[in-house]
Structure formats: structure tokens, C-alpha cells
Amino acid sequence: MICARNNRENTAVGYHERHIERGAGPAVVFSHGTLMDATMFDPQLDHLAERGYRAIACNSRVLTGEPAAHTLGDLVEDCRALLDNFGIGKCVLAGMSVGGFMALEFALAYPERLSGLILIAATSKDYTAEEREAFHRQFDKLDVDGMVPRDFAEWVAPFCFGETTLANNKPLVDHWVERWSTTVPARAVLHQGRSWLDKEDITGRLAAVRVPALAVHGVEDVPLPIDRAAAMADALPDATFERVARAGHSVNLEQPAVVNAAIARFLGRLDLS
């Protein structure tokens, strides 16, 4: 991937090889969730760039190439290659949802590449058999040509946003429903969903994660109830757990000021020299 520098965006055709980079300083790299894209971190990128960090968000493989089956392990290797291509030896890795699942696996595979972890709407737990069956049934509907069907986008919105946002911030929800149904390939979402639906419970391995971590989770998160994030945070040797009221799964978009403040506090206690 060829990466732009100094507050510029690479906006090649569609999402192909697209990333956003703002600011200069210690690197904080963001990995987005299913259905989402790099722009979901705009509030965090602006906030961090203003405070002396090099903030980077990249689109994952589901948006930058032909949709194909892949695993969380594949996403880990994509992240390693991305850091290599950016010339980043160590970073703070921030992941939302599947990006967070990947970040945990990355911390176990490449601990020497990290100064810290930020886990947004993530968990180390697996899904129940009932949840896997229900989500597979819905995601299997995305084995179609074209973009995400509008009815799927509308169905998934209450899983992506909390009840407060659904009631009080309709423009935010409408923006993403429109984006999903007009710009996101259906099969890309299908394959991304399959990468995490059957993931293993790795909570028992988290004692090996030696870098400090921040876990940020919306109290109104539907697909990942907050107790699962709390169990992950409890299993990490050095974790701060931030419960965010009036927010669901897309907590960093729903309550950006709260999340930005938590991230700033966390980064402020790290040795990023």
C-alpha cells in the first residue's frame, strides 16, 4: 500500500488503497469494524493530530480488493505489512469490533511492534451457538452482486448504534445506512463477518499481553454486551476499562468527546519516546 503523508488523504478509485493520515509524532493506527471504513475514526484522527500524534486509519482488505474469504490471522498479517509499509516500528494499535479482535491477536503474535492497545467495542470471548446461527443466517444473505442491500443496512443499524443514538441522532444513523447501501460491496461484508463469527475464545491467553490496554465500550452495545468486554479487560494484565453511557457498538462515533478524552488520558501515561 502506498501511503500519503502530512494530513493528506489517498483517495484512489472507491476504497481501493485508501487511507487517512493526520498529524505527526508517535503513531496511533486504527482498524475499523465490519461494514465501517476508515472515516469512522475521523473524530479520533482530528483530536490526536491536534495533540501531537501521527494518527492513521486504513481500510481493511474487504474494501481495498476483491472480496475473498479470510481469517483474523490474515488481518493480523495485513496489519503487520501495513506497519512495515508505513515505516512504523512500534505503534499504539486501536481496533473497533473486528478491528479489536484483530488487535488482540496482533498483540499476541507481534508484541514487539506495540506500545499499547486501544480496544473499542471488542471482546476476547467467543459467540454463543445461538448468536452464530442467527448472524450467519443474516450475513449469508449478502452473497449477492453489488452493494449491501438496503434492507440489510436498515436491519443492522440497531446492532451498530445504541438506543440513545437511534432515538436522538438520526442523521448519524442515516449517514451510515446510506453509506453501507451505496458504497460497501455485499460480499466484502459477508467475508468479513465470516472472519469473526466463529472466532475462538482467547480470554485465557490474554495474560501474555504485556502492553497497557484501554478498553472502551458502550453501555448500550447490543451485539457485544458490556460484560464480555469487562471480562476481556479483567483478563488483561494492565487494562483500563471505560464504560460509556448513551452509546452502543459504534461508541467512538456516538460519544466521540468521551472516547477522545479516554484515549488522550491513556496515551498520556504511555512511554512513546
Side-chain angles (χ1 to χ4, degrees):
M1 181 179 292
I2 300 172
C3 297
R5 304 282 177 179
N6 299 325
N7 301 315
R8 292 183 291 123
E9 294 187 22
N10 175 354
T11 54
V13 177
Y15 289 105
H16 183 59
E17 294 190 343
R18 183 173 185 272
H19 78 277
I20 307 169
E21 179 177 7
R22 297 185 183 133
V28 184
V29 177
F30 289 85
S31 178
H32 63 80
T34 302
L35 283 162
M36 296 298 194
D37 58 69
T39 66
M40 77 168 300
F41 296 116
D42 277 344
Q44 288 70 54
L45 301 183
D46 290 339
H47 185 79
L48 293 178
E50 292 169 359
R51 286 156 179 77
Y53 296 95
R54 181 185 179 193
I56 301 167
C58 289
N59 287 314
S60 73
R61 64 165 58 196
V62 302
L63 298 173
T64 58
E66 286 298 318
H70 59 276
T71 65
L72 290 177
D74 293 326
L75 298 180
V76 167
E77 291 308 310
D78 289 350
C79 185
R80 179 198 55 76
L82 182 148
L83 295 183
D84 290 346
N85 290 342
F86 273 84
I88 297 172
K90 296 181 73 171
C91 75
V92 176
L93 181 59
M96 180 267 180
S97 195
V98 65
F101 306 159
M102 180 280 294
L104 284 172
E105 297 280 3
F106 189 96
L108 294 168
Y110 297 106
E112 72 282 0
R113 304 299 298 268
L114 296 183
S115 301
L117 275 176
I118 300 172
L119 304 164
I120 303 169
T123 182
S124 56
K125 304 287 286 183
D126 55 355
Y127 289 86
T128 68
E130 293 76 16
E131 288 169 334
R132 289 196 299 271
E133 180 181 356
F135 279 118
H136 272 300
R137 187 163 56 247
Q138 293 297 329
F139 275 80
D140 285 349
K141 297 176 182 178
L142 299 177
D143 192 12
V144 295
D145 294 333
M147 302 301 113
V148 170
R150 183 82 184 195
D151 59 349
F152 182 93
E154 292 175 349
W155 168 81
V156 82
F159 291 91
C160 292
F161 299 100
E163 60 182 13
T164 300
T165 299
L166 292 167
N168 300 329
N169 196 350
K170 190 172 185 294
L172 177 65
V173 178
D174 288 348
H175 165 80
W176 284 100
V177 168
E178 180 69 15
R179 196 165 178 84
W180 299 333
S181 60
T182 59
T183 65
V184 181
R187 287 196 179 91
V189 178
L190 169 65
H191 291 305
Q192 182 108 106
R194 287 176 175 173
S195 76
W196 52 259
L197 273 173
D198 298 315
K199 74 186 189 74
E200 297 179 356
D201 185 336
I202 62 168
T203 308
R205 298 171 58 200
L206 297 188
V209 176
R210 296 304 178 188
V211 296
L214 168 68
V216 180
H217 212 86
V219 173
E220 299 174 0
D221 194 317
V222 171
L224 287 181
I226 196 167
D227 63 308
R228 298 185 194 180
M232 171 190 69
D234 288 343
L236 288 163
D238 182 2
T240 300
F241 190 44
E242 189 82 21
R243 292 173 171 83
V244 182
R246 299 181 298 281
H249 197 57
S250 301
V251 56
N252 64 295
L253 286 168
E254 297 175 72
Q255 295 292 339
V258 176
V259 173
N260 289 349
I263 290 175
R265 288 193 299 270
F266 175 68
L267 294 177
R269 74 179 183 87
L270 302 181
D271 180 7
L272 301 178
S273 57

